[in-house]
Amino acid sequence: MTTIAAVVRGRLADVLDPEAKVTQPAVFDSREAVPGSLFLALKGEHTDGRAYAEAAVNKGAVAALVTRPVGVPAIVVDDVLKAMGRLGRFLLHDSLGSTNVVAITGSAGKTSTKDLIAQVLPGNVVATRQSFNNEIGLPITITTAHKGTDYLVLEMGARHIGDIQELTRIAEPDISVVTNVGTAHIGEFGGQENIAQAKGEIVEALQPSGLAVLNGDDDFVREMQHRTRGRVVTYGLGEQATIRALNVGIDGHGRPSYALSTPEGTAHVQLQFIGEVQVYNSLAAAAVAREAGLDVEQIAARLSEAVPRSRWRMETTIRADGVTIVNDAYNANPHSMRHSLNALASMTGGRDQRAVAVLGRMNELGEDERTAHEEIGRYAAGLDLDQIILVGGEEAGWMLDGVSSAGAKAVHLPDQDSALELLRRTLRAGDVVLVKASRGVELQRLAEELLHPTPGPADA
């Protein structure tokens, strides 16, 4: 522990064995502590991690990282988050050796792209769990790597200009990937140009030997090639992209296929991910795999075998009665809403199939929130869906206004319970239900309830 204390600029308190070693990843949830782990006593909005330090140590944690002594073995620091950043940087640059860092950012698609890259790369790969992409999750992810780790795939999120710059100071990337610049968190950033400024920090961090993998079909992202010292590879559907998808098709389950075109050749890809947007995410993964030395046939095969790993992102389950539930409730913004609605429309088409969209509010849209919700309502109306159910208060009402202005109909319900009741009464075999909203709405609870149908009039 003495080495860790020195690295994080802390001091030991209530420690019986200063040479005790931390051998397991760091945790910030005391319930996840195991023998050999380090517990991070973070102060949250409703609780203080110091209150759980003893529980973590009782489960085997070697020590707690705290801002003041707590009566159990601890390393006392001024700021737990900054201390973890120092520890993450030390581990990556002084302990892991030749590990290659792949950093990913974008307004949407970061997590799916991360999951695809992690499965396509050769060797031993450690990747961000779920969306642990901030100043807490990134250094924790680094603690899960080891000297045999060939690639560390890190998702990097941002809510303000400078956030990604701070993350790249902890983990300097060898490869930087930017998926797109949309309107996620636009209320926090104050405009799309500011979002682009923030996302571009990930390519500014590259050394001349590094590689920037950029979405060539996104104007904001393509311009980032002028902000990096590294080499640049673009991907997309356009003719100018280095890595392209040709002859894109969508099967009856909403899964895309295409011909992967690279400067070295072409090969067929059949994705297991749902939604046409996954073509872009997989092209980004292909560019990273090409940099790792894989040939086009190997890349196509690995992309075709890759499966979704993160929950609540187009997470698709077919019930025993033939109803398909698509839980895409992890987060939402206008960009991802359109892609998810397109995917829903592509998953139906048979005479006995109905497309049902259950939508909730999109958060952090700033002054444009009403317009953005109305536009999504109009967009959904234009897809000829069989039913649109809007859940919640004012924002759902704005979406209803959009649907109505397009000459279509929707049902506006006040809460998840009423939506669940309606769906359980009306769903039938073959229906495909998309559940989509921002994370704060917690609409994933509705999707999970729908996995367990109860008999109703429609089943009698």
Side-chain angles (χ1 to χ4, degrees), residues 164-193:
I164 289 176
Q165 183 181 67
E166 288 300 315
L167 295 177
T168 60
R169 286 173 178 164
I170 298 171
E172 183 178 300
D174 298 292
I175 302 174
S176 292
V177 180
V178 186
T179 61
N180 49 63
V181 172
T183 53
H185 311 305
I186 197 168
E188 297 279 345
F189 282 104
Q192 225 173 341
E193 292 78 9

Side-chain angles (χ1 to χ4, degrees), residues 74 83 92 104 123 141 261 264 271 430:
L92 183 55
I104 306 156
T141 302
S261 174
E264 295 76 36
L271 294 175

Side-chain angles (χ1 to χ4, degrees), residues 369-444:
E369 60 176 348
R370 177 165 191 155
T371 300
H373 282 89
E374 289 176 349
E375 288 178 351
I376 288 302
R378 282 191 289 273
Y379 191 84
L383 292 176
D384 196 28
L385 305 175
D386 294 282
Q387 187 170 33
I388 302 170
I389 299 173
L390 308 170
V391 181
E394 189 174 34
E395 295 85 356
W398 294 336
M399 283 191 279
L400 178 63
D401 291 341
V403 172
S404 300
S405 70
K409 293 182 179 180
V411 178
H412 181 192
L413 298 173
D415 51 44
Q416 296 192 41
D417 289 340
S418 52
L420 179 63
E421 180 183 356
L422 172 64
L423 289 162
R424 281 183 166 165
R425 282 192 289 105
T426 58
L427 289 178
R428 67 190 189 204
D431 289 352
V432 181
V433 185
L434 168 71
V435 181
K436 178 78 171 171
S438 279
R439 181 168 36 177
V441 181
E442 296 187 346
L443 211 59
Q444 74 274 1

Side-chain angles (χ1 to χ4, degrees), residues 16 22 30 97 116 128 188 205 259 277 297 322 377 391 396 448:
L16 296 178
V22 174
S30 61
L116 282 159
T128 301
E188 297 279 345
V277 69
E297 293 287 351
V391 181
E448 289 168 351

Side-chain angles (χ1 to χ4, degrees), residues 93-220:
H93 295 282
D94 294 88
S95 295
L96 296 183
S98 59
T99 299
N100 295 284
V101 175
V102 181
I104 306 156
T105 197
S107 295
K110 293 186 296 296
T111 302
S112 294
T113 302
K114 175 259 300 180
D115 288 345
L116 282 159
I117 290 173
Q119 293 176 75
V120 172
L121 282 171
N124 188 290
V125 182
V126 171
T128 301
R129 188 178 65 170
Q130 298 294 332
S131 284
F132 284 11
N133 61 18
N134 59 12
E135 70 274 22
I136 303 170
L138 184 134
I140 284 179
T141 302
I142 294 173
T143 70
T144 66
H146 50 81
K147 285 189 175 180
T149 300
D150 297 298
Y151 293 93
L152 185 58
V153 183
L154 299 173
E155 188 178 326
M156 294 186 177
R159 290 178 181 271
H160 308 93
I161 290 174
D163 286 353
I164 289 176
Q165 183 181 67
E166 288 300 315
L167 295 177
T168 60
R169 286 173 178 164
I170 298 171
E172 183 178 300
D174 298 292
I175 302 174
S176 292
V177 180
V178 186
T179 61
N180 49 63
V181 172
T183 53
H185 311 305
I186 197 168
E188 297 279 345
F189 282 104
Q192 225 173 341
E193 292 78 9
N194 289 341
I195 295 174
Q197 180 63 34
K199 300 300 183 184
E201 292 168 1
I202 204 167
V203 301
E204 292 176 343
L206 289 168
Q207 296 295 325
S209 59
L211 177 71
V213 176
L214 304 177
N215 182 344
D217 292 351
D218 185 304
D219 292 340
F220 284 107

